[in-house]
Amino acid sequence: MPKEGQDTPLAVMAKPVGSRCNMRCAYCYYLEKGKYSENAKQTRMSFDLLEKLIRQTVAASPGPVVSFTWHGGEPTLAGMDFYKKALELERKYLPRGWEAWNNLQTNGLLLNEGWCRFLKENRFDVGLSIDGPASVHDRNRRLANGTGTFERVHAAIRRLRKAGIEPDLLCTVNAVSEERPLEVYRALRETGCGWVQFIPVVIRDTEGSAAPGSVSPEGYGRFLTAVFDEWVTHDLGVLDVQLFAEMARVMAGGEAGLCWMQPVCGHVLIAEEDGSVYSCDHFVDPDHRLGNLRSGSLERLAGSEFQRAFGQSKRETLTDECRACPYLRFCNGGCPKDRFGFSSDGQPGQYWLCSGLRAFFAHAEPILENVMAMSAKGRKPAEIMEELNKVR
């Protein structure tokens, strides 16, 4: 996957049906974003806008790989013909020797055998959302009538793997799952998939505080610590967890690929079904609307003074406590959308999940250092896990 970073070229997350979705997840922050559409009713992105999106993304990229992330809402609601057109336009505009990297982020409900075959034949990467076992998943990830979706999602994973696609699993950490870390992790491991992302749910109420359903800072730290201990002693070399991989990259002298872990952000624009372009997936609102594909250039919008200031503010608004933190290199103050906490000396703008993350980093860093040192000496994952289990 192309890395997002300070020197990374423009990337665009396309929302071909806007916020429309065939599920009603309890913690969804995006469903209500349809109210900002310039269309009277959200529909599918027109082929004219799709062509502008692809042409401008290619033009803004240094190549030779151009990334296209298809998101939502639920992007499969756009229909397979939409993606066939996207592939046709990619072939039309990609220079000779260049290639497209397509990623579909989906809830999996529409992924029948035909969809899986199409995605495999056209080399799509697939991210699929699942919150662990049915007892956890179905508490939040439901249809509009309240029916749980676990069985349908699990069946989609099986169909994808049968078609030769290993999906990345996206799992939220929320008020329910924070209490059951090993149950959640083991359920994900049992799918046989090799990559897991844990995404904290932080919902804000009308007062600006964390609302019910949100993961607590302490609960988030305990969840990550429990999962890390299970992973590092049982699953090295078999399954990768995104946050742990990003930590290792930073410890090896690299830069994290996740935007919330980077010093600055604002490199991934959002293109909605009506052509509107926004600063970030978590800032789709009138104040962060940069323009429209119909009349603006993606490259110009990405390079605007407003967007540069938006990205730089992540670094410039760090609290004093953040700046002095020994783990700043890992999180860089966290996602700006969640900086509504207070530092220990009462300074506003602290990352809400700071205390939990700090506890996790303090626990995991020395263990990961040991793992990396043993790996550098040629020790195999099984040998490393055996060594770690001796001292547990």
Side-chain angles (χ1 to χ4, degrees):
M1 176 176 174
K3 187 184 78 169
E4 301 166 15
Q6 194 170 353
D7 57 352
T8 301
L10 166 71
V12 181
M13 185 182 290
K15 311 270 191 171
V17 295
S19 64
R20 287 198 294 127
C21 190
N22 50 1
M23 286 176 61
R24 294 295 181 270
C25 299
Y27 47 63
C28 182
Y29 67 93
Y30 213 81
L31 197 61
E32 54 93 22
K33 300 299 184 181
K35 66 186 179 185
Y36 300 126
S37 176
E38 293 183 349
N39 295 324
K41 183 178 180 180
Q42 280 192 317
T43 181
R44 186 181 76 178
M45 179 182 284
S46 70
F47 284 164
D48 177 61
L49 283 174
L50 176 62
E51 183 162 11
K52 286 182 168 62
L53 170 69
I54 290 174
R55 185 181 70 242
Q56 291 185 28
T57 303
V58 172
S61 173
V65 178
V66 185
S67 65
F68 295 94
T69 298
W70 308 100
H71 211 281
E74 175 45 46
T76 56
L77 291 175
M80 198 181 296
D81 286 345
F82 178 86
Y83 296 99
K84 289 178 179 177
K85 183 66 174 179
L87 293 167
E88 174 189 319
L89 291 168
E90 288 171 2
R91 289 190 292 268
K92 177 180 178 180
Y93 288 106
L94 284 169
R96 185 182 297 277
W98 286 28
E99 62 178 325
W101 175 83
N102 287 286
N103 178 273
L104 182 75
Q105 300 287 330
T106 177
N107 60 34
L109 296 192
L110 297 181
L111 294 186
N112 57 23
E113 290 182 0
W115 263 105
C116 293
R117 185 166 54 251
F118 168 78
L119 295 170
K120 174 61 176 177
E121 289 173 351
N122 293 285
R123 298 186 300 160
F124 275 70
D125 282 349
V126 178
L128 191 142
S129 296
I130 180 171
D131 275 0
S135 58
V136 176
H137 177 100
D138 286 343
R139 288 282 296 275
N140 288 300
R141 300 191 65 78
R142 301 183 177 192
L143 302 177
N145 65 7
T147 303
T149 59
F150 175 82
E151 292 301 333
R152 292 177 63 179
V153 173
H154 214 265
I157 293 174
R158 293 194 297 269
R159 280 192 289 271
L160 284 166
R161 299 194 72 216
K162 184 178 179 181
I165 297 173
E166 291 296 332
D168 299 341
L169 301 184
L170 283 70
C171 177
T172 70
V173 186
N174 52 67
V176 176
S177 57
E178 73 170 72
E179 301 296 337
R180 301 160 71 177
L182 294 184
E183 189 178 347
V184 169
Y185 175 73
R186 289 167 182 169
L188 300 176
R189 180 175 63 196
E190 287 170 7
T191 66
C193 298
W195 182 262
V196 175
Q197 301 178 37
F198 290 111
I199 303 168
V201 169
V202 180
I203 310 164
R204 297 181 70 177
D205 59 24
T206 54
E207 303 295 321
S209 301
S214 301
V215 63
S216 68
E218 294 74 19
Y220 187 49
R222 288 193 300 268
F223 181 97
L224 292 175
T225 298
V227 170
F228 177 83
D229 286 348
E230 175 84 356
W231 168 79
V232 81
T233 54
H234 292 84
D235 299 316
L236 283 180
V238 176
L239 185 155
D240 286 318
V241 177
Q242 185 184 48
L243 177 58
F244 309 159
E246 295 287 4
M247 277 188 69
R249 180 186 295 183
V250 172
M251 291 168 66
E255 183 181 90
L258 278 170
C259 57
W260 71 266
M261 295 179 73
Q262 293 173 348
V264 299
C265 57
H267 302 289
V268 184
L269 301 185
I270 303 304
E272 280 282 338
E273 48 83 34
D274 65 347
S276 295
V277 179
Y278 294 90
S279 293
C280 168
D281 186 52
H282 293 289
F283 291 85
V284 173
D285 57 53
D287 291 341
H288 295 87
R289 185 180 179 277
L290 301 176
N292 195 288
L293 290 169
R294 292 189 177 91
S295 56
S297 154
L298 281 174
E299 194 167 18
R300 179 178 60 79
L301 296 175
S304 67
E305 184 60 35
F306 179 90
Q307 188 65 2
R308 284 199 300 271
F310 172 81
Q312 289 292 333
S313 68
K314 184 175 190 291
R315 176 163 51 197
E316 294 170 356
T317 58
L318 289 170
T319 64
D320 293 339
E321 184 173 331
C322 272
R323 295 180 193 278
C325 179
Y327 307 112
L328 179 63
R329 62 176 178 149
F330 292 132
C331 76
N332 283 292
C335 182
K337 80 176 180 68
D338 295 330
R339 287 186 180 176
F340 58 90
F342 292 85
S343 65
S344 57
D345 62 356
Q347 188 177 359
Q350 189 79 8
Y351 185 45
W352 167 248
L353 297 173
C354 173
S355 60
L357 265 182
R358 190 167 58 234
F360 163 69
F361 290 142
H363 173 82
E365 184 184 31
I367 300 173
L368 202 51
E369 279 182 348
N370 190 22
V371 169
M372 293 170 68
M374 286 191 280
S375 179
K377 293 177 180 177
R379 303 285 293 276
K380 298 185 185 306
E383 296 174 315
I384 295 172
M385 289 187 288
E386 182 179 3
E387 189 70 27
L388 293 176
N389 276 295
K390 289 178 182 177
V391 297
R392 290 196 75 187

